[in-house]
């Protein structure tokens, strides 16, 4: 004998099966979505995209920063030493300002000391030209802060006489936020010190 209660039980059982199926399906879809989002996020971190002049989106593979660190440190040191020591009467203020962005208060203190000693006044007074010939650095990037020792060769043109000098400097480097275009490598020179300066006789 059929009663309304049996139909209700059948409907409830069917509803339970449908609800369970929906829950299981939703869980699977959510899990797959999370995996895909995480995968996409990881791929996004490893790639950059640029738009070409034709409007095409081109992916660029970013090299791990560790691999580029040595190159950036050496480039930063060369840039700083060229700004700080490659000076003449017409460019010294502009170059020194750029150089000061690449170091901390230890660089600023050296600049102020040189200014107090009349280095830049003599540059203006005698129209001297100080030209950097080469910058060679030894670096240690195994531990922070990164240590360095740099040998800068430069010549001082006094008009009729040109003297060549070898300058040894040391210090450390720390990583900071990149500042375009003032500090493109995101590095800052600390504990900067001029160890020795000697005239090269040929």
């Amino acid at each position: 004998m059929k009663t309304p209660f049996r139909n209700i039980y059948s409907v409830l059982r069917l509803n339970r099966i449908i609800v369970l199926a929906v829950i299981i399906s939703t869980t699977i879809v959510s899990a797959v979505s999370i995996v895909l989002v995480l995968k996409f996020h990881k791929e996004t971190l490893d790639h950059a995209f640029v738009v070409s002049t034709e409007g095409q989106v081109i992916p660029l593979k970013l090299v791990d920063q560790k691999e580029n660190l040595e190159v950036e440190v050496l480039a930063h040191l060369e840039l700083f030493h060229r700004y700080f020591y490659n000076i003449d009467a017409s460019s010294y203020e502009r170059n020194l300002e750029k150089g000061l962005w690449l170091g901390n208060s230890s660089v600023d203190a050296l600049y102020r000391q040189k200014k107090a000693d009349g280095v830049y006044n003599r540059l203006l007074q005698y129209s001297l030209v100080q030209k950097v010939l080469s910058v060679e650095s030894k670096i240690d990037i195994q531990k922070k802060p990164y240590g360095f020792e740099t040998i800068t060769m430069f010549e001082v043109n006094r008009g009729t006489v040109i003297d060549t000098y070898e300058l040894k400097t040391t210090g450390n480097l720390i990583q900071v936020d990149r500042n375009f275009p003032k500090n493109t490598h995101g590095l800052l020179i600390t504990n900067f010190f001029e160890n020795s300066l000697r005239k090269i006789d040929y």
Side-chain angles (χ1 to χ4, degrees), residues 178-191:
R178 295 176 192 270
N179 184 332
F180 296 94
K182 293 176 178 177
N183 188 337
T184 55
H185 297 292
L187 295 164
L188 196 69
I189 294 172
T190 64
N191 303 320

Side-chain angles (χ1 to χ4, degrees), residues 17 40 42-43 61 71 87 99 102 107 139 144 155 160 172 188 191:
I17 292 171
F40 178 73
K42 186 178 178 182
E43 288 178 355
K61 185 74 175 176
V71 175
I87 54 178
L102 306 180
V107 174
I139 59 175
K144 295 182 179 180
E155 64 181 20
T160 56
N172 299 108
L188 196 69
N191 303 320

Side-chain angles (χ1 to χ4, degrees), residues 23-24 36 49 54 59 64 93 103 118 159 170-171 180:
I23 292 173
I24 292 171
L36 290 176
F49 300 90
E54 292 81 22
D64 184 64
E93 288 183 327
T170 57
F180 296 94

Side-chain angles (χ1 to χ4, degrees), residues 20-85:
L20 287 173
V22 169
I23 292 173
I24 292 171
S25 301
T26 305
T27 304
I28 292 172
V29 169
S30 299
V32 171
S33 299
I34 291 170
V35 170
L36 290 176
V37 167
L38 291 174
K39 183 181 178 183
F40 178 73
H41 178 68
K42 186 178 178 182
E43 288 178 355
T44 303
L45 290 178
D46 291 339
H47 293 77
F49 300 90
V50 294
V51 180
S52 69
T53 53
E54 292 81 22
Q56 297 174 327
V57 178
I58 305 169
L60 297 175
K61 185 74 175 176
L62 290 178
V63 182
D64 184 64
Q65 286 188 353
K66 273 289 184 183
E67 296 176 8
N68 279 340
L69 182 59
E70 183 176 352
V71 175
E72 291 213 64
V73 167
L74 291 173
H76 186 86
L77 289 171
E78 174 148 4
L79 194 62
F80 167 76
H81 283 82
R82 288 193 180 276
Y83 279 148
F84 206 72
Y85 296 104

